[in-house]
């Protein structure tokens, strides 16, 4: 007999509001319905009312965990549109921050994965060593999250030479601890029993669902924008893409752990070869045209598209976040496993719902409303809700 | 003991975390608070899994159309008297989302918020101070 187990929208398991309908037969999950949209704030629309320079501040606030990735992809898109090349030092600075952010995000996932399988020791340990990294961000950029380092044509802040030893010190600590975590987590029989052969996503399914990032690389599909389409300093440093074939949650955990090692390697090389010089170029105006920016965020490929009509604000700004594709793959990954595993499998793609929520209305395979229609309908509904619940 | 309910609220407040439509940043900073570096459990502040067990609600993010009715429902389920603590600049007003078609406006139109903690995200020290100030007001 089929029963429904609802998870969400406000559930102790989740940080963010999202709604999963697990359809179960006994203990076994047979189907999954995903209902999102609790986090929709209309970034693309607001972005078209701000000037080019204000937009990085807005897109930074799409997601607090990849708060470097969205502005990074946006500035790459605008630079592509305006044919600007940032100075080499700025490119290296952006690369360093991008990689440090990857470490912080992967550690965050690792801790939460420990929490989801009820192994809070892993959570507390991992987050303990994530904390010095946040202090490092504060030292370099003045805020623990939301760094505001990206700027069209360069970087907003310089990494001072006197800060290099601090970064180096942290990397040394992290290298040791990451080796410890890799050994501890991969050798632990309890964790192995919970993660191995759970939530398997095969390579064919990964390609069919167009997943990106560690989710794809854990399924043996080697897609990484940093390798496929290198930008900034990524083609000037030596590193390996981590790929595992198994497709289960353990493979995804391994990809993330070993990627932290690669990130340490990249940051070390960047610090060593950091060129001197200015950190920004002067940008006068953005000519008519369009541009795209792709950045490998911790969760996968972030894609931004901007169109300019020569004025001081974008006429169209399209954002595609990695979790948008990754979450859809949950439908196949979770089928056939028990309810106890479902929590972990749903979290294995490192979902980020605040990046993902967006609206389309389809009827009989056709788009029902245009953007303008949706906007009008949305404003009417918002007014209705304001009147209904307001004091 | 003038009001035993208030007296009970002051000792080791249990908090429930409600993310309205936030960017995740305040949420992970709240989780950060219970990890060893900050460890607010030594003050008796515990993150609980149900609003029915909570003394205080930690709300983050702006309210949007879909989350507003649900946040209000969570508030109704919380035993009164309870504290509502707004974390982050989004809760103080609508931050940069004022022009959005989906955001229904600031919290004080819908909920009685006791303390606002500004910052994007606020530092963990600021969050601890906010909770302490909220308790002092009782």
């Amino acid at each position: 007999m089929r029963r429904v187990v609802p998870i969400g929208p406000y559930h102790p398991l989740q940080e963010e509001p999202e709604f999963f309908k697990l359809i179960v037969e006994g203990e076994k999950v047979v189907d999954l319905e995903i209902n999102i949209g609790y986090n929709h704030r209309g970034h693309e629309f607001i972005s078209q009312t701000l000037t080019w320079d204000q937009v990085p501040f807005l897109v930074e606030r799409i997601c607090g965990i990849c708060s470097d990735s969205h502005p990074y992809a946006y500035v790459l898109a605008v630079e592509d549109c305006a044919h600007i090349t940032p100075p080499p030092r700025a490119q290296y600075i952006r690369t360093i921050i991008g990689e440090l952010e990857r470490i912080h995000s992967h550690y965050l996932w690792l801790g939460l994965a420990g929490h989801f399988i009820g192994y809070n020791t892993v959570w507390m340990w991992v987050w303990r060593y994530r904390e010095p990294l946040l202090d490092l961000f504060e030292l370099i950029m003045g805020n623990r999250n939301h760094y505001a380092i990206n700027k069209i044509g360069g970087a907003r802040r310089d990494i001072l030479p006197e800060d290099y030893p601090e970064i180096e010190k942290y990397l040394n600590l992290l290298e040791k601890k990451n080796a410890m975590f890799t050994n501890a987590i991969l050798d632990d029989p309890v964790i192995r029993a919970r993660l191995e052969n759970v939530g398997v996503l095969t390579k064919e399914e990964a390609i069919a669902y167009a997943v990106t990032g560690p989710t794809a690389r854990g399924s043996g599909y080697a897609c990484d924008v940093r390798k496929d389409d290198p930008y900034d300093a990524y083609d000037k440093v030596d590193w390996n893409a981590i790929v595992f074939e198994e497709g289960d949650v353990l493979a995804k955990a391994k990809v993330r752990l070993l990627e932290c090692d690669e990130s340490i390697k990249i940051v070390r090389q960047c610090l060593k070869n950091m060129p001197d010089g200015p950190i920004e170029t002067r940008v006068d105006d953005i000519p008519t045209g369009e541009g795209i920016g792709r950045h490998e965020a911790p969760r996968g490929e972030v894609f931004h598209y901007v169109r300019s009509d020569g004025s001081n604000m974008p006429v169209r700004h399209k954002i595609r976040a990695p979790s948008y594709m990754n979450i859809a793959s949950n439908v196949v990954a979770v089928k056939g496993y028990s309810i106890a595993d479902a929590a972990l499998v749903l979290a294995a793609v490192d979902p980020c719902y605040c990046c993902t929520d967006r609206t389309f209305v389809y009827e009989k395979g056709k788009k029902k409303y245009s953007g303008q229609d949706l906007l009008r309908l949305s404003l009417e509904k918002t007014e209705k809700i304001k009147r209904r619940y307001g004091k | 003991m003038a009001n035993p309910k208030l007296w009970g609220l002051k000792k080791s407040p249990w908090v429930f975390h409600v993310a309205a439509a936030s960017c995740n940043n305040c949420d992970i900073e709240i989780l950060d608070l219970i990890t060893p570096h900050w460890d607010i459990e030594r003050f008796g502040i515990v993150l609980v899994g149900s609003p029915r067990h909570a003394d205080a609600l930690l709300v983050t993010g702006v309210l949007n159309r879909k989350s507003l009715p649900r946040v209000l429902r969570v508030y109704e389920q919380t035993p009164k008297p309870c504290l509502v603590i707004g974390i982050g600049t989004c809760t103080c007003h609508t931050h940069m989302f004022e022009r959005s078609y989906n955001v229904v406006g600031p919290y004080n139109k819908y909920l009685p918020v006791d303390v606002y903690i500004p910052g994007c995200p606020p530092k963990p020290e600021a969050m601890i101070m906010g909770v302490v100030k909220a308790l002092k007001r009782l």
Side-chain angles (χ1 to χ4, degrees), chain A residues 294-327:
Chain A
R294 305 161 79 195
H295 168 63
E296 183 73 19
R299 286 159 185 74
E301 179 193 332
V302 171
F303 175 90
H304 278 236
Y305 162 86
V306 289
R307 193 163 71 226
S308 163
D309 62 351
S311 69
N312 65 344
M313 43 179 82
V315 276
R316 179 78 178 102
H317 181 191
K318 161 82 189 134
I319 302 162
R320 198 192 67 170
S323 296
Y324 191 50
M325 284 79 67
N326 291 351
I327 292 170

Side-chain angles (χ1 to χ4, degrees), chain A residues 40-41 64 138 144 378 382, chain B residues 23 64-65 100-102 123:
Chain A
H40 185 76
R41 283 158 292 163
E138 196 173 357
R144 285 160 58 89
S378 187
T382 307
Chain B
C23 74
N64 73 10
R65 245 165 56 188
S100 170
Y101 48 84
N102 208 35
K123 291 187 72 172

